[in-house]
Amino acid sequence: MSMKITVTLPNGRRRVLKSPEEFRGIDKNRKAMFVMDNWKIYIGYSDGEIDDEGDFGIFGTIHSIALPFNRMLGWCYETVERKTRKNK
């Protein structure tokens, strides 16, 4: 059973983090937030790949960066796609 982590962002929005194990299934075309074990949040795009050194890349920022995968608490998409109800 995995632990569910909910974070409240500085703007007041709340997000439930996906586990690091779900990272390989990330949509590289959607902007995501990555929460690290020091509670820093990095925002950008990632392709879900982890290199030989154990780092993953975040792109779409001023500078692309690599972060240590083993320090990621979880991640979530920056925007949540809302489901709309069809009118009856």
Side-chain angles (χ1 to χ4, degrees):
M1 183 163 107
S2 63
M3 187 179 355
K4 179 177 167 182
I5 300 175
T6 302
V7 295
T8 302
L9 303 172
N11 62 7
R13 291 186 301 173
R14 295 174 57 123
R15 293 284 190 269
V16 175
L17 299 181
K18 296 180 182 289
S19 71
E21 290 79 26
E22 297 177 80
F23 177 66
R24 293 189 190 275
I26 193 168
D27 181 349
K28 66 181 179 181
N29 297 311
R30 289 183 67 189
K31 190 179 276 191
M33 295 182 277
F34 305 92
V35 181
M36 306 305 284
D37 62 1
N38 61 358
W39 295 104
K40 281 194 167 190
I41 299 172
Y42 296 88
I43 300 173
Y45 300 89
S46 188
D47 57 8
E49 294 188 22
I50 302 166
D51 66 17
D52 293 336
E53 288 83 36
D55 298 333
F56 67 98
I58 298 179
F59 315 101
T61 60
I62 294 174
H63 303 287
S64 296
I65 58 174
L67 296 172
F69 180 75
N70 65 350
R71 292 190 52 210
M72 183 197 309
L73 287 178
W75 63 278
C76 62
Y77 291 112
E78 185 180 47
T79 56
V80 176
E81 295 177 355
R82 295 182 184 255
K83 295 179 181 177
T84 59
R85 293 185 198 182
K86 292 184 178 183
N87 293 333
K88 292 183 178 183

